[in-house]
Amino acid sequence: MKRTGVYGIMAEFDSVHTLLHAANRVREAGYKRIDAYSPFPVEGLAEAIGFHHDEVPLVVLIGGLIGGLTGYLMQYWISVVSYPVNVGGKPYHSWPAFIIVTFEMTILFAGISAVLGMLALNGLPMPYHPVFNAPRFAFATKDRFFLIVFSSDPKYKPTEVRSFLESLQPRSISEVPD
Amino acid sequence: MTQGPVQNERAPVIEPGYTLGSVTDKISSIVLTRPTSNAWFVGFGVAFLLLMMLLFAIAYLFVKGIGIWGVNAPIGWGFAIVNFVWWIGIGHAGTLISAILLLLRQSWRNSINRFAEAMTLFAVASAGIFPLIHVGRPWLAYWLFPYPNTMRVWPQFRSPLVWDVFAVSTYATLSALFWFIGLIPDLATLRDRSEERWKKIIYGMLAMGWRGSARHWHRYETAYLLLAGLATPLVLSVHTVVSFDFAVGIVPGWHTTIFPPYFVAGAIYSGFAMVLMLAIPIRKVYNLEDFITERHLQNAAKVMLATGLIVAYGYVIEAFMGWYGGNRYDAFLLWNRLHGPYSFFYYMLLACNIVIPQVLWIPKLRSSPVWLFLVSGVVLVGMWLERFIIVVVSLHRDFLTSSWGMYYPTRWDWMTYIGTIGLFLSAMFLFVRLLPMISIFEMRTLLPEAEVKE
């Protein structure tokens, strides 16, 4: 990737409708490396920028399976192998009694996987990011909507991107320095 | 989270006229620019003094041992277990609001879920103290967990007390995670709205660089929804497991199959009472009547009414089984509740949990904050009495008359109990001052501006 000194070209929008419309148009125009920013989750925006593969459910499934297996096998090993104790004539392998801890461990591991998996896939924590340099980007957490075409996009040509974004009724357009 | 704005003939979830900007400003200004009032300092000061009393009572307990409490044979589970169950039950409403109502697409929850989750966290923290300090040798409390040790012993997994360790610690962990995940976008808002550099740095670190990217939001919503799906069976399991602590034992009054559902309903009952007792003063003091509307109070009151009736059904079945079951010990337990030395508390329980809350059938009282506040207080007292009846009255006269006894809590019992209320309130006071008590980004999704038209 050649360094151009520019991270991308950012357009600022007033409303969620103009943002969604613009995101769809930019994707349809063939730009691949784009992103959109909004102060709340917007239905259909991820699809509009061409994001389809969300691996969080898989991470949670794997975490839950590991948790459940760990819980059950731990109890089996402790109660049958390592420290068998006869309690009221109950079998060492009292599987119905083991279900509760197995269940709790499944939930615990799946929940932790959901949180850590989401953060890791999102690349967070990341206290600094070039898009924070865009003018008024602080309003992306209040009431403004942003759309960026990254300079790493194969079709990226500064003047073309700028004029294309200008046709989408933005409030303003700016270059984001790298 | 992305349900559209709610059109409803009843009171609105959010008063009309708000925009993305004004919702953000109104909630974040409470934390960022509103001067801390004297009333806040007085309230926090009182709560903090009670917290100090808790620390004093626990320090003295560690020096002298649990002999300073009223517990003795035959009542080995006194205030510690009563308070543990009471607090953990209160926590359940927070998870119900944040997880179950999310799955049921009840978007009115968006304005009360944040502080209800905080309430859960602080209630579980208060609850967690009791099992740890009542074990007699609290410095060995970590023996509850399975860990490789030189004694080569392990916990006994057929015991409900071990199940409880796993259930409560999982619940505490997931409640904290759920609450923190919900806070991240709002912490980013606070980072971007703060004027002072040190606030920007602190909120910025906590927000972890959240920038609202569409990819991030997508994964975030997936994770949030999955967490809600995991927390829903979890919250139902926690009080079920707590009820197993009793129901698996053979003590009359404990050994019943009605316990799990009736404990879960009771937990939600007391939890919604606590939500109302917090929401009513908070919306008044911070002028949040536009966000926490009459609709929220009405809905909470209806949940209380419904769960209260399930609890009443539990009482009826307990009494019916005592009479009809033909077991003389169960029959005696019923007689003892009605006529024994603690009968006053049983009648108080029936009044607080069954009779008085029925006033909520009257729509006029249900929409009056003052009445709701009072009824909620009565329910909280009633639910505390319920656990007192279950723990103490069942234990004090069981199978052998020679081992009967009485339980009288000491001043240390009371100081510890009231002290945990201080802990809970201190944490709540700090929470409303330092963090957004209403979820800002979820409120934004309720606005007409957020509606996506295709």
Side-chain angles (χ1 to χ4, degrees):
Chain A
M1 189 177 90
K2 67 176 192 296
R3 290 184 68 86
T4 52
V6 174
Y7 189 72
I9 294 182
M10 179 86 94
E12 179 190 1
F13 296 91
D14 268 332
S15 77
V16 66
H17 311 290
T18 43
L19 172 73
L20 254 181
H21 174 73
N24 278 313
R25 290 288 306 279
V26 169
R27 188 195 73 244
E28 284 155 15
Y31 292 101
K32 295 267 185 295
R33 298 204 27 85
I34 55 177
D35 204 351
Y37 304 90
S38 61
F40 54 86
V42 177
E43 209 176 328
L45 187 57
E47 289 77 11
I49 59 160
F51 174 74
H52 295 288
H53 296 288
D54 186 345
E55 292 94 355
V56 170
L58 183 67
V59 172
V60 175
L61 175 70
I62 293 170
L65 288 175
I66 291 174
L69 282 174
T70 310
Y72 196 89
L73 294 176
M74 172 191 74
Q75 294 178 84
Y76 180 86
W77 181 77
I78 287 174
S79 312
V80 177
V81 180
S82 177
Y83 191 55
V85 179
N86 186 329
V87 179
K90 294 187 190 84
Y92 293 139
H93 182 199
S94 306
W95 69 266
F98 296 169
I99 295 299
I100 290 161
V101 170
T102 307
F103 169 79
E104 303 294 345
M105 291 283 280
T106 309
I107 300 278
L108 180 67
F109 277 56
I112 292 174
S113 315
V115 172
L116 296 183
M118 183 275 284
L119 291 176
L121 289 167
N122 281 346
L124 300 176
M126 188 189 282
Y128 173 77
H129 193 275
V131 298
F132 287 126
N133 295 325
R136 285 184 301 285
F137 191 73
F139 289 91
T141 56
K142 187 182 179 188
D143 55 0
R144 291 289 159 73
F145 304 84
F146 293 85
L147 181 70
I148 191 170
V149 177
F150 296 115
S151 61
S152 55
D153 191 279
K155 272 189 73 181
Y156 180 83
K157 289 198 188 67
T159 45
E160 274 179 29
V161 171
R162 188 178 267 274
S163 59
F164 182 62
L165 287 175
E166 258 159 19
S167 70
L168 301 169
Q169 297 159 325
R171 206 186 131 92
S172 72
I173 288 194
S174 56
E175 243 179 25
V176 180
D178 198 358
Chain B
M1 271 173 293
T2 43
Q3 301 97 328
V6 174
Q7 303 298 325
N8 205 301
E9 65 285 356
R10 284 173 291 175
V13 171
I14 175 167
E15 293 292 338
Y18 278 95
T19 62
L20 293 172
S22 64
V23 164
T24 308
D25 287 338
K26 186 160 171 116
I27 303 173
S28 60
S29 70
I30 293 173
V31 177
L32 293 175
T33 52
R34 186 189 161 100
T36 312
S37 65
N38 288 333
W40 186 92
F41 280 110
V42 171
F44 178 69
V46 171
F48 191 73
L49 280 178
L50 294 177
L51 171 60
M52 291 299 107
M53 185 173 80
L54 172 70
L55 290 187
F56 176 64
I58 291 178
Y60 192 69
L61 174 81
F62 286 1
V63 172
K64 295 296 250 189
I66 51 168
I68 65 169
W69 287 352
V71 287
N72 209 331
I75 298 117
W77 277 7
F79 260 38
I81 299 302
V82 174
N83 298 335
F84 163 71
V85 181
W86 188 70
W87 273 122
I88 206 119
I90 285 171
H92 278 46
T95 321
L96 180 106
I97 290 169
S98 56
I100 300 183
L101 295 186
L102 178 78
L103 296 182
L104 297 176
R105 297 191 159 264
Q106 297 292 309
S107 53
W108 59 276
R109 76 180 255 297
N110 286 9
S111 42
I112 54 172
N113 69 333
R114 172 69 48 71
F115 79 81
E117 282 167 36
M119 177 196 84
T120 295
L121 211 54
F122 306 144
V124 172
S126 304
I129 291 173
F130 287 104
L132 296 182
I133 63 174
H134 99 299
V135 291
R137 283 184 282 175
W139 53 92
L140 299 178
Y142 62 91
W143 284 9
L144 291 164
F145 289 95
Y147 71 102
N149 55 74
T150 52
M151 302 170 287
R152 303 193 63 193
V153 295
W154 292 96
Q156 203 278 94
F157 285 101
R158 288 161 220 119
S159 161
L161 299 182
V162 175
W163 305 342
D164 214 18
V165 171
F166 279 83
V168 173
S169 50
T170 300
Y171 186 49
T173 312
L174 272 210
S175 304
L177 287 176
F178 203 53
W179 185 66
F180 181 67
I181 280 296
L183 270 168
I184 288 176
D186 286 357
L187 289 167
T189 298
L190 291 183
R191 171 197 67 202
D192 295 338
R193 299 273 80 71
S194 314
E195 303 284 335
E196 297 90 338
R197 189 170 163 71
W198 63 275
K199 285 187 189 167
K200 275 187 193 300
I201 291 174
I202 292 174
Y203 287 124
M205 302 251 271
L206 291 171
M208 299 198 286
W210 181 263
R211 50 189 189 273
S213 151
R215 289 182 177 80
H216 291 187
W217 274 124
H218 195 277
R219 295 195 187 98
Y220 178 92
E221 283 206 287
T222 311
Y224 199 78
L225 198 62
L226 287 170
L227 272 178
L230 293 166
T232 299
L234 175 66
V235 68
L236 299 180
S237 86
V238 172
H239 231 62
T240 301
V241 172
V242 169
S243 82
F244 285 164
D245 291 344
F246 300 96
V248 174
I250 56 162
V251 176
W254 290 4
H255 194 57
T256 59
T257 48
I258 191 79
F259 259 29
Y262 140 58
F263 263 55
V264 172
I268 292 164
Y269 191 32
S270 61
F272 266 88
M274 188 61 104
V275 166
L276 281 174
M277 286 203 85
L278 296 172
I280 289 167
I282 282 177
R283 74 197 273 271
K284 185 88 193 143
V285 170
Y286 290 99
N287 305 318
L288 292 171
E289 285 100 339
D290 290 349
F291 295 166
I292 304 173
T293 63
E294 202 176 275
R295 171 96 171 274
H296 297 96
L297 304 185
Q298 289 253 14
N299 284 355
K302 286 175 190 166
V303 173
M304 269 170 64
L305 206 46
T307 48
L309 288 173
I310 301 176
V311 169
Y313 173 77
Y315 297 161
V316 170
I317 288 294
E318 274 192 322
F320 174 76
M321 293 311 284
W323 167 72
Y324 186 73
N327 181 313
R328 57 190 295 198
Y329 300 104
D330 281 345
F332 173 74
L333 177 88
L334 178 61
W335 182 91
N336 192 38
R337 281 183 176 174
L338 292 169
H339 306 289
Y342 293 107
S343 61
F344 171 74
F345 298 107
Y346 190 63
Y347 293 114
M348 281 284 287
L349 159 71
L350 297 180
C352 290
N353 274 359
I354 300 183
V355 180
I356 296 173
Q358 301 311 317
V359 302
L360 296 178
W361 287 103
I362 305 164
K364 205 171 165 205
L365 300 184
R366 202 164 63 219
S367 53
S368 145
V370 176
W371 270 95
L372 280 177
F373 188 81
L374 293 176
V375 171
S376 302
V378 166
V379 168
L380 283 172
V381 172
M383 286 308 295
W384 188 88
L385 285 170
E386 179 196 300
R387 279 63 177 253
F388 182 84
I389 299 286
I390 288 170
V391 171
V392 173
V393 177
S394 306
L395 284 173
H396 95 117
R397 289 178 174 178
D398 61 2
F399 303 102
L400 284 176
T401 45
S402 60
S403 62
W404 286 5
M406 287 293 286
Y407 172 75
Y408 302 103
T410 63
R411 78 183 76 164
W412 299 102
D413 284 304
W414 284 109
M415 281 165 71
T416 315
Y417 172 45
I418 295 167
T420 52
I421 296 176
L423 169 67
F424 177 78
L425 290 178
S426 305
M428 277 314 284
F429 270 104
L430 289 175
F431 163 69
V432 298
R433 187 67 197 82
L434 297 174
L435 291 168
M437 70 182 107
I438 294 179
S439 174
I440 306 173
F441 84 91
E442 283 172 302
M443 290 302 278
R444 291 188 193 119
T445 64
L446 297 179
L447 295 168
E449 275 180 82
E451 205 174 1
V452 178
K453 286 188 285 280
E454 286 302 326

